[in-house]
């Protein structure tokens, strides 16, 4: 496994920030930086762990990790199946256990994150997750208990295709759900679909929707998404993920957590409507704040870090308080 390169052959993060960790027989890639002591201001601040979304990697926090690391230890992790972490075969719910394949899903990644906090970070932590990484952060916080001091969700995945939300889908989609389920189990189909997605032109078109302001879309971003997608086994986590028709939903987790949970949302997110974020803010006691960023989309932390990093610093400082 190699860490995602820049287009000029360098690395997104300094080499001495990179690390690996062995978990359940898998090699997990992560990046971390701790401010120098005692010169660093805020040396007693809690560490923060940044959790990427589907199809992304730790390098997606390229503009956030260095900015936040001036005051506190900051970590970003590649979930198993993504980035430079191991990419074992997928095992769907009713497929036999073979000792090599993994059942990709929120619980697997939450177990990974909770174990990383305990074994590598070793202290209470604050969690920040984007997209599906937000659901993972919520599930990991439930596992960590008092060691998960705060969760910050950036355009958290709402998982509208989950079976429990099927009634919200148009009639034709409801009727076609059984056929869709049969098709996406087939590796010949998911492999072809993944190969179509994993090319620069398609990635740029997807980014054009996800980053409506156009900010942040550059060759480096395309490369950091493309490189791990072209590594062996990358299509397996894709197969596992698109077969998650019944998995964790953020509202269920929000109902169980004591908080605090804070929501940061791009108002122009094309996939995760801000109206649902507003509903969460009003419905769940765990949610203590909602900040909406006009003109930004699904990944505001990368689209316009100059607007996002100050909010993260403000909220993380609040999470430091006992």
């Amino acid at each position: 496994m190699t860490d995602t390169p820049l287009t000029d052959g360098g690395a997104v993060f300094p080499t001495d920030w990179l690390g690996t960790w062995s978990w359940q027989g898998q090699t997990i890639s992560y990046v971390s930086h701790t401010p120098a002591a005692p010169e660093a201001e805020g040396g007693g601040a809690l560490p923060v762990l940044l959790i990427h979304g589907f199809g992304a990697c730790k390098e997606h926090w390229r503009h956030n990790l260095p900015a936040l690391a001036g005051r506190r230890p900051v970590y970003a992790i590649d979930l198993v199946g993504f980035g430079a972490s191991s990419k074992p075969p997928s095992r769907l719910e009713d497929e036999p256990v073979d000792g090599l394949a993994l059942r990709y899903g929120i619980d697997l990644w939450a177990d990974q994150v909770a174990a990383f906090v305990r074994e590598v970070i070793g202290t209470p932590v604050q969690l920040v997750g984007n997209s599906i990484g937000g659901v993972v952060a919520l599930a990991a916080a439930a596992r960590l208990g008092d060691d998960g001091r705060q969760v910050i969700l950036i355009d958290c995945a709402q998982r509208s295709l989950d079976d429990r939300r099927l009634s919200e889908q148009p009639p034709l989609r409801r009727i076609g759900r059984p056929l869709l389920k049969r098709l996406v189990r087939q590796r010949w189909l998911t492999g072809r679909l993944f190969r179509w997605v994993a090319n620069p032109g398609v990635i740029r078109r997807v980014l054009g929707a996800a980053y409506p302001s156009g900010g942040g879309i550059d060759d480096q971003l395309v490369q950091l998404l493309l490189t791990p997608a072209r590594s062996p086994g990358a299509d397996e986590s894709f197969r596992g993920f698109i077969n998650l028709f019944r998995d964790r939903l953020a509202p269920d987790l929000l109902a169980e957590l004591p908080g605090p949970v804070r929501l940061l949302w791009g108002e122009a997110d094309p996939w995760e409507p801000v109206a649902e974020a507003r509903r969460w803010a009003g419905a769940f006691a765990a949610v203590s704040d909602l900040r909406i960023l006009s003109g930004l989309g699904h990944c505001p932390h990368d689209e316009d870090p100059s607007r996002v990093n100050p909010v993260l610093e403000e909220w993380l400082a609040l999470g430091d308080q006992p």
Side-chain angles (χ1 to χ4, degrees):
M1 292 178 295
T2 58
D3 285 287
T4 306
L6 286 169
T7 52
D8 64 2
V12 174
F13 298 113
T15 303
D16 60 354
W17 291 18
L18 302 174
T20 58
W21 166 63
S22 180
W23 176 71
Q24 295 189 3
Q26 312 297 330
T27 299
I28 305 301
S29 180
Y30 68 93
V31 60
S32 65
H33 184 62
T34 299
E39 293 84 1
E41 183 181 353
L46 289 173
V48 59
L49 175 58
L50 308 172
I51 308 168
H52 64 78
F54 175 70
C57 54
K58 62 186 180 298
E59 285 80 11
H60 203 202
W61 302 101
R62 56 186 176 153
H63 299 310
N64 317 108
L65 191 150
L68 299 177
R71 294 183 56 85
R72 68 185 66 248
V74 184
Y75 297 77
I77 192 170
D78 282 336
L79 299 175
V80 64
F82 298 101
S85 289
S86 295
K87 300 174 179 65
S90 58
R91 180 179 65 82
L92 304 186
E93 187 174 15
D94 56 352
E95 291 180 336
V97 176
D98 66 6
L100 298 176
L102 290 182
R103 178 88 170 94
Y104 286 104
I106 303 302
D107 284 334
L108 174 74
W109 295 317
D111 287 344
Q112 175 193 342
V113 167
F116 183 83
V117 170
R118 293 184 175 117
E119 297 178 19
V120 178
I121 300 178
T123 68
V125 71
Q126 304 192 58
L127 302 174
V128 178
N130 172 231
S131 190
I132 201 68
V135 188
V136 173
L138 291 171
R143 287 158 168 76
L144 289 168
D146 290 342
D147 286 337
R149 295 291 178 83
Q150 176 176 222
V151 178
I152 297 174
L153 304 180
I154 303 177
D155 292 72
C156 181
Q158 296 167 19
R159 303 199 58 251
S160 60
L161 292 180
D162 192 277
D163 281 348
R164 285 165 292 174
R165 301 189 63 184
L166 187 58
S167 63
E168 304 170 19
Q169 298 296 316
L172 286 178
R173 290 187 183 178
R174 296 200 299 269
I175 294 170
R177 177 60 62 90
L179 175 60
L180 175 65
K181 286 183 173 182
R182 289 196 297 272
L183 287 174
V184 297
R185 295 176 61 86
Q186 309 304 316
R187 280 188 168 89
W188 66 266
L189 178 62
T190 58
R192 288 184 181 182
L193 182 59
F194 185 78
R195 287 190 294 273
W196 175 77
V197 171
N199 76 76
V202 173
I203 288 175
R204 282 191 178 274
R205 288 197 293 274
V206 172
L207 289 172
Y211 292 49
S213 74
I217 302 176
D218 54 23
D219 290 341
Q220 181 186 92
L221 177 59
V222 173
Q223 188 68 26
L224 70 85
L225 297 175
L226 183 63
T227 298
R230 288 183 168 174
S231 62
D235 57 337
E236 287 294 310
S237 58
F238 176 79
R239 175 181 183 255
F241 181 78
I242 64 174
N243 276 279
L244 293 181
F245 290 102
R246 191 170 185 85
D247 205 345
R248 302 292 183 184
L249 295 174
D252 297 337
L253 295 163
L254 287 169
E256 298 171 358
L257 287 175
V261 177
R262 290 182 162 88
L263 311 180
L264 185 61
W265 226 270
E267 189 173 29
D269 189 327
W271 304 316
E272 313 298 347
V274 71
E276 182 70 0
R278 291 190 175 102
R279 189 185 74 80
W280 293 355
F284 300 106
V287 178
S288 58
D289 205 344
L290 167 62
R291 199 79 55 92
I292 298 170
L293 301 172
S294 62
L296 300 184
H298 187 59
C299 308
H301 63 289
D302 191 58
E303 186 178 3
D304 193 346
S306 67
R307 292 173 65 186
V308 170
N309 287 339
V311 178
L312 293 179
E313 290 175 339
E314 173 192 343
W315 285 355
L316 291 171
L318 292 174
D320 292 333
Q321 298 173 10

